[in-house]
Amino acid sequence: MPKRVRTAVFPVAGLGTRFLPATKAMPKEMLTVVDRPLIQYAVDEAREAGIEHFVFVTGRNKAVIEDHFDRQFELEATLEARGKTQALDELRKELPSAGRTSFTRQQEPLGLGHAVWCARDIVGDQPFALLLPDMVFRARPGVLRQMMDAYEETGGNVIGVEECAWEDVSSYGVVVRGEGTDTGFKIDGMVEKPRREEAPSNLFISGRYILQPEIFTLLAQQTKGAGGEIQLTDAMQLLMQEQAFTGVKYDGKVFDCGSKLGFLTANVVFALDRDDIREGFLKELRNLDLEDHL
């Protein structure tokens, strides 16, 4: 039986330059889809999958993320005094219990691989999940839960993938698909942003991973790659020479909320999923005079 995955790493040190000026003073991970920050969606997904320890790799101006996952006694007291028990219960329900969160600092923006490496001493010699908070999923069960099912069968390393249009493959890292079903197939390789005519598949890596701790040793030795950064993909390709990688074509859809288009689309989709605002939102959409915008 593979070792149980109890820890998840959340890289939240990015500068959020694609959302300036909104992210000049506020972390991009605290931007909201409807009424929940991006980071909350990732944490909720991890909790559903059985994660017990949440590790955040932060940077400067990210203290509000730590505050978000802490108790706010003044707010709780005010809600209780005003009888707003539903809102109070919702706040308490979403908090990880005491001692379940850890924060470490990535002091330089040296890439995703470097951010993951910064969590090495907290994760230790154990497998871990890696969730990129920019990527928000509409999936039931959650994507990480679907990946955990595959991991329990195969062990090793697991990557969540989704199909994209062939004309878009040059925007993503894609996998070389080997034998197996959508719920767990062998990955024979990875290619970063290939040209369409050279792409081995249209299955792109969508920000969810289960990785073995040997990745830290490789990241420590990794030289800078594309963009002058330490690339996680480079280290995974080396690890693939020693360990198995399994792909899971999950049931669901990802929204890249690091882009304005993905963020806006996610807000519309998740709003329409909400029973409490769906009808009112649809009414407002129908009342819009879109002629002026087309």
Side-chain angles (χ1 to χ4, degrees):
M1 291 288 293
K3 288 184 178 180
R4 183 179 171 190
V5 180
R6 301 176 180 270
T7 302
V9 174
F10 304 86
V12 292
L15 298 176
T17 54
R18 289 187 288 177
F19 272 91
L20 288 171
T23 51
K24 180 180 178 181
M26 180 179 69
K28 64 176 179 177
E29 297 82 10
M30 293 301 294
L31 295 173
T32 57
V33 172
V34 188
D35 55 4
R36 303 170 70 77
L38 299 179
I39 187 61
Q40 186 69 58
Y41 285 96
V43 168
D44 289 347
E45 181 185 336
R47 292 175 69 178
E48 179 198 9
I51 294 298
E52 299 172 0
H53 187 190
F54 307 86
V55 180
F56 301 88
V57 182
T58 70
R60 284 179 290 277
N61 300 322
K62 301 283 184 168
V64 68
I65 296 175
E66 189 168 350
D67 292 339
H68 178 72
F69 291 105
D70 197 2
R71 294 190 64 182
Q72 297 189 16
F73 293 100
E74 297 85 353
L75 175 59
E76 292 181 13
T78 300
L79 292 173
E80 190 167 17
R82 294 179 180 177
K84 296 187 176 183
T85 56
Q86 183 176 351
L88 182 59
D89 290 343
E90 189 73 14
L91 280 180
R92 289 173 173 169
K93 179 183 70 175
E94 293 179 352
L95 285 180
S97 56
R100 299 292 189 184
T101 57
S102 297
F103 296 83
T104 189
R105 180 69 67 94
Q106 183 188 22
Q107 295 172 323
E108 296 180 78
L110 295 178
L112 176 59
H114 182 259
V116 173
W117 178 79
C118 288
R120 66 200 182 283
D121 288 336
I122 300 174
V123 174
D125 189 25
Q126 298 293 323
F128 64 99
L130 172 64
L131 297 90
L132 308 190
D134 285 357
M135 311 304 277
V136 175
F137 294 83
R138 184 175 183 265
R140 289 291 180 273
V143 169
L144 188 59
R145 177 64 266 172
Q146 296 178 49
M147 293 169 60
M148 287 288 198
D149 291 341
Y151 173 78
E152 290 165 7
E153 293 288 332
T154 65
N157 305 271
V158 182
I159 298 178
V161 299
E162 183 175 326
E163 282 189 357
C164 67
W166 281 98
E167 55 266 27
D168 295 334
V169 291
S170 60
S171 299
Y172 301 102
V174 299
V175 301
V176 181
R177 179 169 182 161
E179 295 182 352
T181 65
D182 285 351
T183 56
F185 59 86
K186 186 175 183 294
I187 292 178
D188 290 329
M190 288 173 275
V191 182
E192 191 67 30
K193 298 182 178 179
R195 293 189 297 178
R196 175 175 178 170
E197 57 271 20
E198 297 174 348
S201 77
N202 65 336
L203 296 174
F204 70 95
I205 301 169
S206 54
R208 295 295 183 268
Y209 313 79
I210 296 172
L211 297 170
Q212 296 299 314
E214 288 78 11
I215 195 75
F216 293 123
T217 301
L218 296 172
L219 288 170
Q221 303 166 353
Q222 190 71 52
T223 57
K224 293 180 180 179
E229 298 181 337
I230 297 173
Q231 298 292 339
L232 178 65
T233 302
D234 293 342
M236 289 195 298
Q237 288 174 325
L238 290 175
L239 186 59
M240 192 176 297
Q241 298 174 18
E242 305 293 335
Q243 296 182 0
F245 273 72
T246 299
V248 174
K249 185 174 177 292
Y250 50 78
D251 183 14
K253 179 172 177 55
V254 67
F255 298 90
D256 179 3
C257 291
S259 73
K260 295 181 180 69
L261 183 59
F263 177 74
L264 293 170
T265 305
N267 268 280
V268 172
V269 171
F270 279 78
L272 292 174
D273 279 344
R274 288 273 296 268
D275 292 338
D276 58 331
I277 60 176
R278 181 178 186 275
E279 291 305 319
F281 186 48
L282 278 173
K283 181 179 178 180
E284 292 298 325
L285 289 176
R286 294 187 183 110
N287 288 340
L288 286 176
D289 185 2
L290 297 179
E291 292 290 333
D292 294 337
H293 302 280
L294 298 176

